[in-house]
Amino acid sequence: MASGGKGLNATGEFFRRRDEWRRHPMVGNQLRHATPGLGIAIVAFGIYLVGEAAYNRIYRPSGDHHH
């Protein structure tokens, strides 16, 4: 039973070493670091679109009958 536990630890260590590249700083969050203001820009653009749609509904010219 002791050799089975030792083999399992060796196998776990083998896979742990093979997955070390996943925790490297250059691999994770590359898109986020490449485009630092993209999230804020998307939120601001969404707020603009909602505001424009609300403005168009409230202040629609009376002669405009388009749907």
Side-chain angles (χ1 to χ4, degrees):
M1 214 167 187
S3 64
K6 184 177 181 183
L8 184 62
N9 288 340
T11 304
E13 184 63 31
F14 171 75
F15 285 113
R16 186 176 299 121
R17 282 181 296 186
R18 292 206 48 185
D19 287 339
E20 283 182 1
W21 66 271
R22 296 178 193 266
R23 291 185 289 277
H24 194 276
M26 291 297 290
V27 174
N29 295 326
Q30 281 185 349
L31 182 63
R32 188 171 187 194
H33 292 308
T35 57
L38 184 63
I40 294 170
I42 290 172
V43 170
F45 186 66
I47 291 171
Y48 165 75
L49 290 178
V50 169
E52 183 182 20
Y55 177 82
N56 287 338
R57 286 182 184 259
I58 294 171
Y59 296 109
R60 178 183 301 160
S62 60
D64 189 14
H65 296 293
H66 294 284
H67 293 268

